[in-house]
Amino acid sequence: MISFYAVLSVVILLVLDAVKGIFRTPDSWWIVPLLLIGFFIGLILLHLLIVAVSVIVVNPKSESEKGNKYYRFLVKITLPLLFKLCRVDVQVTGEDLVPENQRVMLICNHINDIDPAVIMRALPDLELGFIAKKEVYTLFPFVSKIMKKLYCLPIDRENNREAIKTIIKSVDLIKKDKASIGIFPEGYTSLDGELHEFRNGCFKIATKTKAPVVVCTLVNSEKCFKNLFKRKTTVYFDVLKVIPGEDVATMHTDEIGNIAHEIMKENLDKRKKENI
């Protein structure tokens, strides 16, 4: 969107010149670049204002599913803009492994609260609905509104009965072709950056829907807020393997978890050796 708004600013300037002839005025040497910068900043601010208004009007208590496509589009065009402004570059590998036109269960290690946004930036067409800790919905009410429109679901990690209800809702979303499901099987954010033990019960989402399991890793996202605006941050998102749905249907949740854990651990160790 940055490039689009830059080009659009030039177009607006050319139209203004055709009407007012600003290129032919004595002060054009400073007015033209000033207007160009002003149009560019104005377009970005207008974009962010539209996003803010669109989120504010969402009723978090409403069960209406209207507007899902609009909010998907809004996120798709806004995340690249925000990441560019915040100097975050997401390097993606293996995206061609992700099945097309099929709902999946995506799993990834979890090292920062920004991880879901990074993944949606990396795979903008996957239409993911993330399972997020219920505290997010209390601590970040603005974010939770747009999460609702993207079919994200809260989970109570300390209440098994409530957690099962979330799993059932996730299964329903996949079966009804409303969204793919993204989940962090560790259950918590890793404070030390290491890959911890999985809560393999989450893989019931895959076994009950026969959805392919997309195994991924993230590296460096914990630096995004530390480096914010000060320096560029490169985040690495790797799609490592897709466990086909027909294989998932014959596997136990612990088996899926062990396979995925080993693959992810190997790649994370490799990334560390590369001194990323």
Side-chain angles (χ1 to χ4, degrees):
M1 293 303 295
I2 290 286
S3 300
F4 173 75
Y5 287 144
V7 172
L8 186 56
S9 298
V10 173
V11 171
I12 295 173
L13 190 62
L14 291 174
V15 171
L16 185 61
D17 176 63
V19 176
K20 297 291 186 178
I22 59 173
F23 288 139
R24 295 179 290 278
T25 62
D27 298 325
S28 63
W29 63 272
W30 66 268
I31 292 178
V32 169
L34 186 65
L35 287 173
L36 189 62
I37 295 171
F39 290 146
F40 179 68
I41 295 175
L43 288 169
I44 291 176
L45 292 177
L46 178 61
H47 181 130
L48 297 178
L49 177 62
I50 291 172
V51 172
V53 172
S54 298
V55 175
I56 289 171
V57 299
V58 174
N59 181 357
K61 297 181 180 180
S62 173
E63 295 299 324
S64 173
E65 297 179 350
K66 292 181 179 179
N68 173 263
K69 290 184 178 180
Y70 168 73
Y71 284 93
R72 286 283 181 199
F73 174 74
L74 203 61
V75 168
K76 184 176 180 178
I77 65 173
T78 301
L79 284 179
L81 175 64
L82 292 177
F83 276 55
K84 192 73 173 180
L85 293 175
C86 295
R87 302 184 67 187
V88 176
D89 178 37
V90 182
Q91 297 288 327
V92 186
T93 66
E95 64 268 35
D96 55 312
L97 297 176
V98 180
E100 296 182 359
N101 303 316
Q102 186 177 6
R103 297 303 181 191
V104 304
M105 176 182 177
L106 181 145
I107 64 168
C108 189
N109 61 310
H110 195 16
I111 47 180
N112 192 271
D113 289 337
I114 201 175
D115 291 346
V118 173
I119 296 173
M120 285 190 286
R121 170 70 181 94
L123 302 173
D125 297 318
L126 191 53
E127 296 187 347
L128 281 167
F130 281 91
I131 294 180
K133 58 186 179 182
K134 66 174 185 177
E135 292 82 1
V136 170
Y137 292 78
T138 304
L139 296 173
F140 307 104
F142 183 85
V143 175
S144 68
K145 285 186 174 185
I146 198 163
M147 288 172 66
K148 178 180 177 61
K149 287 296 185 180
L150 301 180
Y151 293 119
C152 294
L153 298 170
I155 188 167
D156 188 340
R157 299 170 297 182
E158 309 303 329
N159 187 322
N160 289 335
R161 180 172 294 180
E162 291 302 314
I164 290 173
K165 290 181 180 179
T166 300
I167 296 296
I168 292 173
K169 289 179 181 178
S170 301
V171 169
D172 191 55
L173 286 176
I174 291 178
K175 285 186 173 180
K176 291 183 177 180
D177 195 28
K178 292 182 178 179
S180 292
I181 295 297
I183 194 166
F184 303 106
E186 293 166 277
Y188 291 86
T189 304
S190 175
L191 299 179
D192 58 9
E194 298 294 328
L195 185 67
H196 296 278
E197 185 178 350
F198 286 174
R199 297 187 174 194
N200 289 330
C202 68
F203 293 106
K204 289 181 180 177
I205 297 172
T207 58
K208 290 183 178 296
T209 59
K210 300 180 181 179
V213 177
V214 180
V215 184
C216 312
T217 57
L218 263 174
V219 176
N220 260 14
S221 63
E222 76 280 4
K223 296 180 181 178
C224 290
F225 292 121
K226 295 178 183 178
N227 297 341
L228 191 62
F229 302 124
K230 295 185 294 185
R231 63 179 65 90
K232 180 181 177 181
T233 303
T234 301
V235 178
Y236 299 88
F237 178 74
D238 300 317
V239 180
L240 306 174
K241 181 181 177 63
V242 176
I243 305 175
E246 55 268 25
D247 293 346
V248 168
T250 63
M251 299 167 70
H252 190 272
T253 54
D254 288 342
E255 185 180 0
I256 300 171
N258 291 338
I259 292 173
H261 193 283
E262 182 178 351
I263 294 170
M264 292 165 67
K265 180 84 166 55
E266 181 181 352
N267 190 66
L268 290 171
D269 289 343
K270 177 184 175 184
R271 282 290 189 187
K272 287 180 182 179
K273 289 180 181 178
E274 294 172 350
N275 295 318
I276 292 175

